[in-house]
């Protein structure tokens, strides 16, 4: 059977409509993850982060975050030893919001806290560490790669 130009045009239009419908369906079912749901509130308090980074940079050394034997070791500088410290550790995974972890940071008298790396999914993390000591706020970020 030979198709004339009218049927060919109608076939092209139907294929085009079908492809557009598929693209709209895919767009409606795509999950979009924001870095933070309350990003505006966080932006208003960003000066606190800047001050915390400056305070952390003024320390004699930077906190170290190391992964060894399935454990994550967070070590504060020597000047933070025997000082009460409270804070938070936020493991931010840029590829999957479900992998993010927000944990309390309560180091021992030596300024060390050990965390179990098995609670985290393998991937690249930005470890956001904030703590308060002697009524001063400190903030730092380190990169951490957790392999399987």
């Amino acid at each position: 059977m030979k198709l004339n130009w009218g049927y060919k045009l109608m076939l092209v239009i139907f294929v085009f409509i079908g492809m557009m419908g598929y693209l709209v369906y895919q767009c409606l079912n795509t999950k979009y993850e924001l870095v933070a749901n309350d990003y505006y509130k966080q932006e208003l308090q960003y000066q606190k982060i800047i001050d915390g980074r400056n305070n952390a940079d003024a320390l004699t050394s930077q906190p170290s975050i190391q992964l060894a034997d399935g454990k994550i070791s967070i070590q504060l500088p020597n000047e933070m030893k025997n000082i009460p410290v409270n804070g938070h550790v936020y493991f931010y995974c840029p590829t999957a919001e479900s992998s993010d972890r927000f944990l309390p940071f309560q180091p021992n008298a030596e300024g060390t806290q050990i965390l179990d790396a098995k609670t985290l999914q393998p991937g690249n993390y930005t470890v956001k560490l904030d703590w308060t000591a002697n009524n001063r706020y400190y903030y730092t970020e380190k990169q951490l790669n957790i392999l399987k």
Side-chain angles (χ1 to χ4, degrees):
M1 176 177 158
K2 186 171 177 166
L3 297 177
N4 64 18
W5 67 271
Y7 287 118
K8 291 178 185 177
L9 181 63
M10 204 165 58
L11 180 66
V12 168
I13 291 173
F14 285 140
V15 169
F16 177 76
I17 290 172
M19 288 174 49
M20 290 304 292
Y22 174 74
L23 289 175
V24 167
Y25 173 77
Q26 287 294 87
C27 289
L28 292 175
N29 289 323
T30 301
K31 183 178 177 187
Y32 296 101
E33 295 178 353
L34 298 173
V35 172
N37 290 331
D38 59 346
Y39 59 90
Y40 184 70
K41 179 182 169 187
Q42 289 180 6
E43 182 67 28
L44 291 175
Q45 298 181 4
Y46 195 69
Q47 185 62 43
K48 182 179 179 182
I49 299 292
I50 294 170
D51 295 340
R53 283 185 180 172
N54 291 337
N55 290 339
D57 289 341
L59 296 172
T60 57
S61 63
Q62 292 295 309
S64 69
I65 301 171
Q66 298 176 347
L67 175 66
D69 299 326
K71 302 287 183 190
I72 299 170
S73 172
I74 303 173
Q75 176 68 48
L76 292 178
N78 289 335
E79 62 220 67
M80 292 288 162
K81 289 184 179 179
N82 299 317
I83 297 175
V85 173
N86 286 322
H88 303 97
V89 181
Y90 179 45
F91 291 92
Y92 169 68
C93 182
T95 57
E97 182 181 13
S98 61
S99 297
D100 293 354
R101 295 289 178 266
F102 190 78
L103 304 170
F105 179 59
Q106 298 168 331
N108 59 18
E110 295 297 314
T112 303
Q113 182 170 352
I114 307 293
L115 302 169
D116 189 12
K118 293 176 185 161
T119 61
L120 299 171
Q121 297 292 324
N124 293 322
Y125 288 88
T126 301
V127 182
K128 300 178 180 184
L129 177 64
D130 68 277
W131 73 97
T132 304
N134 293 334
N135 294 325
R136 289 190 79 177
Y137 178 76
Y138 299 90
Y139 180 85
T140 188
E141 291 183 4
K142 304 284 184 183
Q143 297 298 318
L144 182 67
N145 186 8
I146 298 178
L147 302 174
K148 208 167 204 184

